[in-house]
Amino acid sequence: MKKLLFISLFSTLLVVNNFKAQDVCFDKGTLVVTAGIGFPDLYRASLRTYYSGYVARSVTGLGPIILKGDYGIVKFKWGHSVGAGMVLGFNTTKASFTYEDWKWNNNSGYTYSDYTQTDRYTTITIGARGTYHFFTKEKIDCYASIGLGFNINTHDQTTTDPDGVKYKVNQRKGLYEAGTVGIRYFFTKNFGVYSELGWDNSTPIQAGLSLKF
């Protein structure tokens, strides 16, 4: 009787342990929301090169800030999963520089005057995203992703020159396209961090926080 009880208890422990071993952090029906920032911003870097010939130049910005959702829709027999979701991005850059211009002065004729021009570039990204999760364990999730959507871009120019040009127009219109490979690590059942390499919102690297629901 004791032997039978021991065998039953041992079998139960094996079943429970096997169930826990199969527990993964991303599966069909899992929702993961990530919030991160990309770096370096290659578009901002190109603007620094573009404005490098101006005097007293300054190129600063915020972003890209990237929000993503990933919902598990399919799980294959071999354990891999497919997810789908949305992408929202925000990026803004401010470029300022000083320049001189001839101005007519009734008292002294034409003289040089210093002015400051400021250009603001803003991009809002809205897109869809698909993910293929090829290695998923209890705390680690490795995946590849592609994204497609559109950008809402504006360029706002102001100047202290009363005769200068001021305008606000839509520019850099085009598709949002992204392709990355990433990894998530969960410290707890619902909270973790992530990082992705590839191309997304004009950056090759992004990292941030992950929340699982």
Side-chain angles (χ1 to χ4, degrees):
M1 184 67 180
K2 290 182 178 180
K3 185 177 181 180
L4 182 60
L5 181 60
F6 176 79
I7 293 175
S8 298
L9 180 60
F10 183 74
S11 300
T12 302
L13 290 175
L14 284 178
V15 171
V16 172
N17 184 68
N18 183 65
F19 176 79
K20 289 183 178 180
Q22 299 302 316
D23 188 24
V24 293
C25 60
F26 189 87
D27 208 339
K28 182 179 179 180
T30 301
L31 173 62
V32 176
V33 177
T34 60
I37 188 166
F39 58 93
D41 184 345
L42 299 184
Y43 178 71
R44 190 173 298 135
S46 69
L47 287 178
R48 290 192 176 98
T49 301
Y50 176 79
Y51 288 98
S52 61
Y54 292 99
V55 179
R57 67 190 181 279
S58 173
V59 179
T60 59
L62 173 65
I65 298 172
I66 308 169
L67 302 178
K68 297 180 178 181
D70 190 10
Y71 181 76
I73 56 175
V74 176
K75 183 171 184 179
F76 300 107
K77 293 181 179 180
W78 54 88
H80 296 183
S81 300
V82 173
M86 296 290 294
V87 179
L88 297 175
F90 176 81
N91 194 6
T92 183
T93 299
K94 175 183 175 183
S96 298
F97 61 91
T98 61
Y99 65 94
E100 293 181 330
D101 194 13
W102 287 100
K103 293 296 178 184
W104 172 257
N105 188 305
N106 291 328
N107 296 324
S108 56
Y110 283 101
T111 59
Y112 269 121
S113 297
D114 291 332
Y115 302 100
T116 299
Q117 178 175 311
T118 301
D119 294 280
R120 290 181 175 85
Y121 303 89
T122 302
T123 298
I124 298 175
T125 298
I126 302 174
R129 180 174 182 248
T131 55
Y132 184 79
H133 301 256
F134 54 85
F135 182 82
T136 305
K137 296 297 182 181
E138 184 179 358
K139 293 186 177 183
I140 297 178
D141 179 27
C142 300
Y143 55 92
S145 72
I146 56 174
L148 186 65
F150 62 93
N151 293 317
I152 302 172
N153 305 289
T154 59
H155 176 196
D156 184 1
Q157 178 179 295
T158 59
T159 177
T160 58
D161 185 350
D163 300 323
V165 178
K166 301 179 182 181
Y167 62 85
K168 182 174 184 179
V169 296
N170 292 329
Q171 288 190 346
R172 294 196 296 130
K173 291 183 178 179
L175 290 175
Y176 158 72
E177 298 173 298
T180 65
V181 291
I183 182 172
R184 299 175 185 143
Y185 182 83
F186 289 89
F187 301 105
T188 67
K189 182 179 179 180
N190 303 105
F191 176 76
V193 293
Y194 86 99
S195 180
E196 292 184 14
L197 301 177
W199 180 255
D200 195 349
N201 281 265
S202 74
T203 62
I205 305 171
Q206 60 179 278
L209 304 177
S210 298
L211 292 177
K212 185 174 65 171
F213 300 92

